[in-house]
Amino acid sequence: MAETLSQSQIDAMLAALQNDGGDAEPAAKEPEKKTEDYRKYDFYSPKKYTKDKLKMLRNIYDNYSRIATSQINGLFRVASEVEVIGVEEQRYYEFGNALNETDVITLARVELPDESSNPPILFHIAPSLMATMIDRMLGGTITTASVEMSYAYTDVELALYEKIIKYLVAITSDVWATYIKMGIKFERIEENPSMFQGISVDEAVVIIMMQIHLGEMSGTMNICIPGTLLMNVFDIIDKTKHLADKDGQAGKQNSKESILTSIKESKMDVMAQLGIARLNLDDVYNLRVGDVIDLNKPQDSPVALHVEGQPWFSGQLGVHNKNIAVKIQERVDRQKQDLDV
């Protein structure tokens, strides 16, 4: 049985013939669904540091940037600004691949309280920025000079490079002092980064990216902190915090006793006040030996006992071992006394 065409199919065939046998107009395509921009996660080399750890490093090096600004201002006698532009976790080979063979990196040895052996922290300053700093030390002016990335330093420039970088290395221990007692010392300058083998190429590192504005010139400085060092640092910080919390809880329980123990040997003046009398100046001037002053109090009335000038107790005047003494009867209500005043 022959297939019967519908009217829409007949119209499509006629339209195709009118278009010289071309295909019929294709149906409108449905709009493609937009997919969100997801960041790929590398399960082969997962991230080791949480956002809290990276935030802590950001805060530490924000403080570093403020100190470095004052150091650079004093060293070069020019208005400068240092700011942190990023804190990122990478693999060491990523950091190494971004360097040229003629780049210079600085190695700074780190000493931790646990006396563990750790790889050094690496400092790298862009050649254009370092050339400007060296030129300034030699008496030049701060200008926007273009220096090739493959620029090779001379021996004199390397000596000045070392002098400048020592200032920036020395302040690292100060900014870490809030969290950990860290000793950091300048070790040496490495003229060929590819020859440095102190850090494994697959080791996770954290790169502190900083922008230094020196007059009209600006450049970058990167600080590479090895993962082995960071793990040891974070372990010590966590242990110290745990012990501090434990000691703090114990201290709250024994704070009153410890305070009293530390001040119990202090000397304090205790005075018994028999009474108060008001006299005019003429009466005081005419006082003579044998005169009697009326205290306006009954004979057996309580005596106020003052400690360092403050009323603490009331008692009864008497005799003990042939000496005048006061027998404490009750404690003075300081709050009630303050309200009465």
Side-chain angles (χ1 to χ4, degrees):
M1 183 176 180
E3 182 180 357
T4 304
L5 299 176
S6 63
Q7 185 61 42
S8 59
Q9 292 173 332
I10 295 172
D11 294 338
M13 291 178 64
L14 294 175
L17 293 174
Q18 291 176 358
N19 293 332
D20 298 331
D23 296 334
E25 184 179 355
K29 294 183 179 180
E30 295 182 359
E32 296 181 0
K33 295 182 179 179
K34 294 183 179 180
T35 58
E36 296 183 3
D37 186 14
Y38 291 100
R39 186 175 181 180
K40 293 182 179 181
Y41 186 83
D42 188 0
F43 287 93
Y44 178 73
S45 55
K47 300 297 183 183
K48 288 187 177 182
Y49 306 108
T50 62
K51 291 183 178 180
D52 293 337
K53 299 295 185 184
L54 296 179
K55 184 178 180 181
M56 185 183 78
L57 291 174
R58 178 68 181 250
N59 293 335
I60 290 173
Y61 280 92
D62 279 338
N63 189 25
Y64 177 95
S65 65
R66 288 188 287 270
I67 300 177
T69 299
S70 62
Q71 288 279 358
I72 294 174
N73 288 341
L75 184 61
F76 300 106
R77 306 291 182 181
V78 65
S80 62
E81 182 182 1
V82 183
E83 59 178 341
V84 179
I85 58 176
V87 178
E88 186 176 348
E89 178 183 348
Q90 297 179 0
R91 296 291 164 176
Y92 178 69
Y93 67 82
E94 298 180 68
F95 174 75
N97 291 342
L99 301 177
N100 295 319
E101 292 184 358
T102 56
D103 278 347
V104 173
I105 59 174
T106 303
L107 279 61
R109 184 63 58 184
V110 178
E111 297 177 358
L112 298 180
D114 62 354
E115 298 182 356
S116 58
S117 179
N118 297 287
I121 295 178
L122 307 182
F123 291 77
H124 172 259
I125 299 180
S128 58
L129 177 61
M130 180 52 69
T132 303
M133 292 180 174
I134 293 173
D135 182 65
R136 178 65 178 176
M137 290 194 72
L138 296 176
T141 57
I142 302 298
T143 57
T144 56
S146 59
V147 177
E148 296 181 359
M149 296 302 293
S150 59
Y151 179 78
Y153 297 96
T154 64
D155 292 341
V156 175
E157 289 173 336
L158 286 175
L160 295 174
Y161 188 112
E162 181 176 331
K163 184 176 181 180
I164 294 170
I165 200 65
K166 282 182 177 179
Y167 286 97
L168 301 176
V169 171
I171 60 179
T172 304
S173 57
D174 295 333
V175 299
W176 278 94
T178 307
Y179 297 92
I180 187 175
K181 185 178 180 181
M182 176 190 293
I184 183 166
K185 297 179 180 179
F186 170 84
E187 184 175 351
R188 73 175 191 274
I189 287 177
E190 184 64 57
E191 297 182 43
N192 190 348
S194 61
M195 298 298 292
F196 174 67
Q197 303 295 329
I199 303 176
S200 173
V201 293
D202 289 328
E203 182 173 349
V205 297
V206 172
I207 310 299
I208 313 296
M209 294 166 285
M210 312 187 78
Q211 187 80 16
I212 300 178
H213 301 276
L214 192 66
E216 299 178 357
M217 181 63 188
S218 64
T220 58
M221 179 178 75
N222 296 324
I223 302 175
C224 175
I225 307 178
T228 304
L229 172 62
L230 280 178
M231 293 302 294
N232 291 335
V233 168
F234 290 144
D235 287 343
I236 294 173
I237 292 175
D238 292 339
K239 289 179 182 178
T240 304
K241 184 179 179 181
H242 175 71
L243 293 175
D245 293 342
K246 187 177 180 181
D247 293 341
Q249 293 176 357
K252 289 180 181 179
Q253 297 175 357
N254 301 323
S255 59
K256 184 177 180 180
E257 290 78 2
S258 62
I259 292 173
L260 291 176
T261 301
S262 62
I263 65 174
K264 67 180 181 180
E265 299 297 332
S266 302
K267 303 294 184 181
M268 306 188 74
D269 294 330
V270 180
M271 178 189 69
Q273 187 183 66
L274 301 179
I276 299 176
R278 292 184 177 274
L279 301 176
N280 56 39
L281 181 59
D282 183 59
D283 292 336
V284 175
Y285 180 76
N286 293 314
L287 283 176
R288 298 292 183 269
V289 177
D291 290 347
V292 177
I293 300 176
D294 188 0
L295 299 180
N296 298 318
K297 290 178 64 176
Q299 181 180 358
D300 297 330
S301 60
V303 176
L305 203 63
H306 292 244
V307 178
E308 291 292 333
Q310 299 294 326
W312 278 82
F313 303 100
S314 63
Q316 191 67 38
L317 190 64
V319 178
H320 179 70
N321 293 334
K322 297 182 180 181
N323 294 319
I324 298 176
V326 177
K327 181 180 180 180
I328 297 175
Q329 293 180 329
E330 62 179 354
R331 183 169 181 173
V332 176
D333 189 350
R334 298 290 304 280
Q335 295 181 351
K336 182 179 179 181
Q337 189 178 38
D338 293 339
L339 291 174
D340 293 341
V341 173

